[in-house]
Amino acid sequence: MTIQGTVEYVIHRNAQNGYSVIEISDEKGPITIVGILPELQEGEPIEVEGSFVTHPVYGEQFSVERFTLSLPEDAAAIERYLASGAIKGIGPALAARIVRQFESDTLRIMEESPETLAKVKGISLKGARLISAQVIEKREMRQALMFMEKYGIPLSLAVRIYERYGATLYSVIETNPYRLMDDITHVGFRIADDIARSVGLAADSDYRIRSGLQYAMMQALESGHIFLPRAALISYTASLLEQPEELIEKHVMDLAIDKRFILRDLNGVPIVYLSTYYYMEASAAAMLCQLNQSFPLQDDFLSAEIGKLEKESGLELEDKQREAVLTAIRCGLTVITGGPGTGKTTIISAILRYFEKKEMKVELAAPTGRAARRITEATGHPAQTVHRLLEFMGMPDENREDEVLRFTRNESNPISADVVIIDEVSMVDLPLMYALLKALIPCTRLILVGDASQLPSVGPGNVLKDIIRSGVAPTIALSKIFRQAENSDIIVNAHRINKGEVITPNPASRDFLFIQRGDAAVILQAVIRLVKEKLPPYVKAEPWEIQVITPMRKGILGVENLNRVLQQYLNPPAEGRKERQFARCLLRVGDKVMQIKNNYQREWESREQGGLLLRQGTGIFNGDIGFVKDIRFFTEELVIVFDDGREAVYPFSDADELDLAYAVTVHKSQGSEYPAIVLPLLNVPQPLMTRPLIYTAVTRARNCVCVVGSLTTFQQMVDNNTEQQRFSTLHLQLIELAR
C-alpha cells in the first residue's frame, strides 16, 4: 500500500546504514514508518510504499519498501522545514522572517535568486549564497537518490555513490557501473552486475567482461589460490558471464597491459596473477631470504648455555628439541613444525628464556586471539595477535579486501624486537605474512612454529608449507611424542591419523571416545545429550565450552541444522529474553556466535567491570567467538561481547557477519582449543573426506574427543591423504632467490 504524509518527528536514524524510525502524519493522523531512508527533516513531504507490521515491543509500524521525496510546497510546511535545521545558518526566527516575505516561493528564491534572499534582515549576500548552495545540493542529492532507487540500488549504497561521484554518478551508473567495484568499499561484481542489468548494459560489454575476469581472480583468492591457470580463468569467466571463451581471451591481455594482471609461464602452462598478489608473493620471498642469515656462535659455548638454562628453568630438552633451540639462536629464520605432544611449547619456552636472559626483546604472537591466549597460558609469556603486534589500522580508504591491510608497524616503523615468534603459523595467509615481514628489520630473528599437517590458512596462499617445501629455511620437524603425552589417546591417535594408520576404538579410553551410530537423527540426539549433560561434568566445563565440530554446512549433521537444534536446548526462548530473526539465523540474547568474515572497520572497546575504558580499536576477524549481550530494538543494533572482552555494536543490517557457533565447521575451528569436542560423522561429502580435515578436527580438543557416528567414515577420511590443490609459487620464488 501507499501512504503520503509529512515528517513530524525523526525518532531515530542510524547514520551508518540509513535505518530510520520516523513519525509522519497523513489525513488519518500520525503513523510510525521504519526502514532504510535518507536524512529527512520535519515538514518534508514523503510518499512511501510498503506494509504494516507489528513490532514485538513498539507495536504497529509501517515498513517502507520504496519511497518518493519532494520538497515542502506550502508556506507552513516550508517554515517548519527550515526551522528544523535542514539548512545550516537558519533557525526558527529567521525561518519565520524568510517565509513571511516569500511565502510558498521561498525555496525557489533560495535556489535561484540568493541576491533577493539577501534582502531579508539578518542575511548577508555571502550568507545567502551559502544557503543557496545548500538548497541546490539537497535538491541534487534527492534527485540522485530517486534516480538510483529506480534501479534498485539500496539507499546505504546510493548515499556512498553520491558522496563518491557527485553529479557524475549518472554517467557512471548508466555507462560503467563496474567502476563501483574499484571505487567503493564492499561493492563486488554481483552488485555491480545487477545494477548493469537494471540500466540495460550489454551482456558482452567490455566493462562487464573485464570486471568478470577480475571477479574470477577474486574468487580464486577466496579459495586460497595466488594464481590461476589461464585456461581455467577463461573457462570460469565464460561460464560466469555466459559469453564465448574467445571473447574473454582478448581481455586478459588488456588487463595485463593495464597492470591489473601479471602473465607468467609455469612449466609450460600460462598462468595469471592479480598484480597485487604477484608482487606480494615476490616481495615476501625476498624478505624471507633477507632474514635467512646466520649468527655465528661457538657450539661448545651454546651447548653450555642451553644446559645451564635447562637446570635453572627445570626444562628437559631431548636432542631434537635442543637442535630446534640452537637453530633458533643461530639463524635469522627458523621453522619448527610438529604435531600435538611433540614439545613445540617446551621449545618456545626455552627460546624465550634464552633470549630474555640475554636481555633481548622477544615478541610472541599468534594469528587468533584464542591461539594467543593459549600460548600465553602455556609459556607464561604474554602473547598477542599478529594484527595487534603490527598495530592494525584498517583497510585503506575506499579500498577492497583483496588489497594490502594497513598497519602502524611497517618498513618505515618496524617492530621493536630482536626476536619474533609466531605460533600456529599454518593459519597465516600470504597478506598477513607479507605485512609481518615488512615490519621486521633484517637482523631480527623470525621463528615460525606450527603444524604443517593441519588445514591451510583460510586466506590465500600456502605460506608454511611453501617455506618448508622450498628447503631454504632451516626446518626442524618434530615427530617424537613425549612421555607426558603418551597417556593421551587424543595425541596418540592424532599422530596415527597423520600417518594414515587404522584407528581402533578403545572402550577403556578416557579421552578419545567412539559412539557408533548409523542414523543421523539418532546421532543428533546423542550430540545434544553429550553437550548438555554428559561432557560438562566429565571435563569440568560449561555446556557452551563444549564445541561441536562438523565437516559440512548442510544436512541434519551440518552446521546450520546443528546450531538451530543446539540453540533450542542450550539457550531456549524465555520470557524477557530478547530475540530477533535475521536472514542468516535467529539470534537470542545469550547465544554463542562467531564472526564469519573479516571486518576491518568494526569498532570495539574493552572495559573493566566498573566501566573504565581499558582499550579500544577497530577490526573483528573471521573466527572470533562471542556472545549476544543485548538486542536493541529501538536503535536496531546487536551488542556482542567477544571472549577476550572486546565489545562491539552491530547494526541489524550487518547481522549477516555473525553466525551461531554452538557448532562450527572444521575450517572455522582452526587455531582454537576446546575442553572437549563432539564430532558427528555420517555421509560426509566426498571433497571433505580428507585426512588433513579429520586431523585438524581431532587436534582441537584439550581433554576429550567424542566421535559420534560411522567408524567407517572416520577411517575413510584417515585413509585419504589428498588435499585440495592451492596454486601458489612462494616456494619457487624462494628457491630461485636462494641460488
Side-chain angles (χ1 to χ4, degrees):
M1 65 181 297
T2 301
I3 295 175
Q4 290 181 325
T6 302
V7 174
E8 295 292 333
Y9 179 55
V10 179
I11 300 170
H12 166 73
R13 185 173 191 276
N14 187 316
Q16 287 184 313
N17 59 21
Y19 181 84
S20 303
V21 181
I22 297 173
E23 184 180 294
I24 67 171
S25 61
D26 67 358
E27 66 276 5
K28 297 178 182 178
I31 299 169
T32 300
I33 64 171
V34 296
I36 305 298
L37 293 164
E39 188 172 358
L40 298 171
Q41 305 293 335
E42 295 173 15
E44 288 190 74
I46 185 171
E47 180 179 289
V48 291
E49 295 178 36
S51 58
F52 280 101
V53 296
T54 302
H55 192 282
V57 176
Y58 302 109
E60 189 176 66
Q61 300 175 331
F62 188 84
S63 178
V64 177
E65 296 171 7
R66 298 174 67 88
F67 61 87
T68 303
L69 302 173
S70 58
L71 287 170
E73 295 179 354
D74 65 83
I78 292 172
E79 180 178 341
R80 192 165 172 215
Y81 168 68
L82 294 176
S84 70
I87 306 297
K88 291 179 183 177
I90 299 180
L94 184 54
R97 288 202 301 274
I98 294 171
V99 173
R100 193 159 50 242
Q101 185 159 341
F102 302 116
E103 298 184 331
S104 60
D105 211 24
T106 295
L107 294 178
R108 186 191 66 79
I109 294 290
M110 284 182 161
E111 186 177 325
E112 299 176 3
S113 184
E115 63 280 358
T116 303
L117 181 63
K119 295 177 181 178
V120 176
K121 183 181 179 182
I123 302 179
S124 66
L125 182 57
K126 181 181 178 181
R129 287 172 177 161
L130 290 173
I131 290 170
S132 179
Q134 288 184 68
V135 174
I136 292 170
E137 182 182 4
K138 286 182 177 292
R139 174 178 57 84
E140 290 176 346
M141 185 172 185
R142 277 177 168 74
Q143 290 173 346
L145 295 179
M146 297 303 298
F147 167 80
M148 289 185 278
E149 199 266 346
K150 75 178 181 182
Y151 290 125
I153 300 174
L155 178 70
S156 55
L157 174 57
V159 171
R160 286 191 290 149
I161 292 173
Y162 179 79
E163 289 173 349
R164 175 64 178 82
Y165 298 114
T168 64
L169 71 88
Y170 300 97
S171 63
V172 171
I173 297 296
E174 292 181 329
T175 60
N176 180 21
Y178 298 99
R179 270 187 62 185
L180 304 179
M181 295 171 60
D182 293 325
D183 295 341
I184 297 181
T185 310
H186 304 312
V187 174
F189 176 78
R190 299 288 188 187
I191 293 174
D193 203 41
D194 286 346
I195 296 171
R197 284 201 300 271
S198 296
V199 300
L201 202 68
D204 61 354
S205 155
D206 289 352
Y207 295 130
R208 183 169 189 257
I209 293 171
R210 287 164 63 94
S211 297
L213 280 164
Q214 292 177 86
Y215 173 74
M217 290 301 298
M218 291 294 301
Q219 292 296 100
L221 290 175
E222 291 188 9
S223 297
H225 303 303
I226 300 300
F227 70 84
L228 278 182
R230 185 165 174 167
L233 170 63
I234 291 169
S235 174
Y236 177 86
T237 308
S239 175
L240 171 73
L241 303 181
E242 298 180 339
Q243 297 297 317
E245 289 191 8
E246 55 269 22
L247 186 61
I248 309 297
E249 171 75 44
K250 71 184 187 72
H251 288 280
V252 174
M253 184 58 71
D254 292 341
L255 285 163
I257 292 170
D258 287 349
K259 299 183 179 180
R260 297 295 187 98
F261 285 176
I262 298 291
L263 309 182
R264 290 292 183 266
D265 188 273
L266 181 62
N267 300 323
V269 177
I271 62 175
V272 183
Y273 299 81
L274 279 172
S275 297
T276 302
Y277 280 82
Y278 173 80
Y279 292 114
M280 192 185 295
E281 191 178 69
S283 297
M287 289 184 287
L288 283 166
C289 286
Q290 193 175 31
L291 288 174
N292 190 26
Q293 56 184 292
S294 298
F295 296 89
L297 295 165
Q298 291 293 327
D299 289 351
D300 292 344
F301 171 76
L302 274 183
S303 295
E305 290 276 292
I306 298 303
K308 187 177 178 182
L309 181 149
E310 288 182 87
K311 287 181 182 179
E312 291 175 351
S313 64
L315 294 171
E316 293 183 15
L317 302 175
E318 63 88 42
D319 291 345
K320 203 71 173 177
Q321 290 179 310
R322 188 174 288 104
E323 180 188 351
V325 176
L326 290 170
T327 302
I329 294 169
R330 290 194 186 105
C331 301
L333 175 64
T334 303
V335 177
I336 301 168
T337 181
T342 56
K344 296 191 298 294
T345 303
T346 300
I347 292 169
I348 293 173
S349 295
I351 292 169
L352 286 165
R353 289 175 183 274
Y354 175 85
F355 285 117
E356 288 177 340
K357 189 176 179 182
K358 298 297 180 183
E359 297 185 349
M360 297 172 71
K361 185 177 180 182
V362 184
E363 291 286 3
L364 179 59
T368 67
R370 281 178 167 247
R373 286 194 297 280
R374 192 173 70 189
I375 194 64
T376 297
E377 292 165 1
T379 64
H381 187 282
Q384 58 191 311
T385 64
V386 180
H387 282 82
R388 195 168 179 202
L389 172 66
L390 295 173
E391 297 176 17
F392 175 74
M393 293 172 61
M395 296 293 295
D397 293 337
E398 296 300 347
N399 217 325
R400 301 177 48 80
E401 290 192 20
D402 61 300
E403 304 211 359
V404 184
L405 306 179
R406 290 193 305 174
F407 296 95
T408 300
R409 296 294 181 179
N410 50 40
E411 60 270 45
S412 302
N413 181 30
I415 295 169
S416 175
D418 302 296
V419 182
V420 173
I421 304 173
I422 307 297
D423 193 26
E424 293 282 4
V425 78
S426 63
M427 297 180 65
V428 175
D429 60 17
L430 179 65
L432 189 57
M433 178 57 72
Y434 170 71
L436 173 67
L437 293 170
K438 283 205 306 175
L440 300 180
I441 56 177
C443 62
T444 305
R445 287 175 173 84
L446 176 62
I447 301 163
L448 304 175
V449 184
D451 186 346
S453 298
Q454 288 189 25
L455 292 169
S457 60
V458 174
N462 213 5
V463 173
L464 177 59
K465 288 183 180 177
D466 274 355
I467 294 173
I468 294 171
R469 185 161 48 152
S470 73
V472 169
T475 301
I476 310 300
L478 308 168
S479 57
K480 178 181 176 181
I481 305 175
F482 287 91
R483 283 193 301 274
Q484 62 269 32
E486 288 177 344
N487 296 325
S488 166
D489 287 336
I490 296 174
I491 291 174
V492 171
N493 283 337
H495 285 268
R496 294 178 66 193
I497 290 168
N498 208 18
K499 294 174 183 176
E501 297 177 0
V502 175
I503 308 297
T504 304
N506 177 8
S509 176
R510 297 183 60 81
D511 64 357
F512 205 103
L513 315 176
F514 279 92
I515 301 175
Q516 297 189 55
R517 299 288 186 270
D519 180 85
V522 174
I523 293 171
L524 181 58
Q525 289 304 312
V527 168
I528 294 166
R529 284 196 300 273
L530 284 164
V531 173
K532 188 177 181 183
E533 301 169 10
K534 303 294 186 182
L535 286 175
Y538 186 69
V539 296
K540 296 180 174 58
E542 297 297 326
W544 58 265
E545 295 179 280
I546 311 300
Q547 187 62 59
V548 178
I549 299 178
T550 178
M552 51 212 180
R553 290 202 61 83
K554 302 296 183 182
I556 293 178
L557 301 179
V559 161
E560 294 174 7
N561 187 62
L562 283 167
N563 271 318
R564 281 193 294 267
V565 174
L566 288 167
Q567 181 189 46
Q568 288 298 103
Y569 282 90
L570 299 179
N571 189 35
E575 187 176 350
R577 188 177 295 166
K578 299 178 188 175
E579 63 179 50
R580 191 185 193 279
Q581 181 67 54
F582 295 96
R584 179 175 292 278
C585 60
L586 181 143
L587 292 180
R588 187 175 291 135
V589 169
D591 274 335
K592 181 180 178 182
V593 293
M594 173 183 281
Q595 177 81 11
I596 60 170
K597 61 176 75 172
N598 289 334
N599 186 323
Y600 302 102
Q601 280 80 35
R602 177 77 61 214
E603 295 180 354
W604 56 263
E605 59 182 33
S606 180
R607 294 181 179 273
E608 285 185 341
Q609 199 165 12
L612 180 66
L613 181 66
L614 294 176
R615 56 193 179 98
Q616 58 188 40
T618 59
I620 302 293
F621 303 108
N622 192 351
D624 286 353
I625 296 279
F627 292 87
V628 179
K629 178 182 177 181
D630 193 13
I631 300 176
R632 299 170 178 169
F633 291 112
F634 183 72
T635 56
E636 298 277 326
E637 293 171 331
L638 290 162
V639 182
I640 309 297
V641 178
F642 290 91
D643 57 9
D644 59 358
R646 291 173 301 158
E647 183 174 304
V649 177
Y650 291 67
F652 280 2
S653 58
D654 289 350
D656 62 345
E657 294 182 8
L658 298 166
D659 207 350
L660 291 171
Y662 301 105
V664 298
T665 62
V666 179
H667 286 82
K668 292 291 187 184
S669 72
Q670 282 180 269
S672 296
E673 185 181 74
Y674 310 96
I677 70 157
V678 179
L679 184 59
L681 286 180
L682 186 72
N683 301 325
V684 176
Q686 193 59 40
L688 300 174
M689 294 275 289
T690 68
R691 185 185 302 170
L693 191 140
I694 197 69
Y695 174 80
T696 301
V698 165
T699 54
R700 299 308 90 208
R702 182 166 61 247
N703 299 324
C704 185
V705 170
C706 191
V707 181
V708 189
S710 167
L711 180 60
T712 301
T713 299
F714 184 93
Q715 191 61 49
Q716 286 174 344
M717 295 178 76
V718 173
D719 294 340
N720 180 16
N721 198 30
T722 59
E723 289 186 63
Q724 181 183 8
Q725 184 181 11
R726 282 199 170 195
F727 296 124
S728 64
T729 47
L730 179 62
H731 62 295
L732 298 177
Q733 305 248 26
L734 286 166
I735 292 168
E736 183 66 27
L737 288 168
R739 284 177 181 168

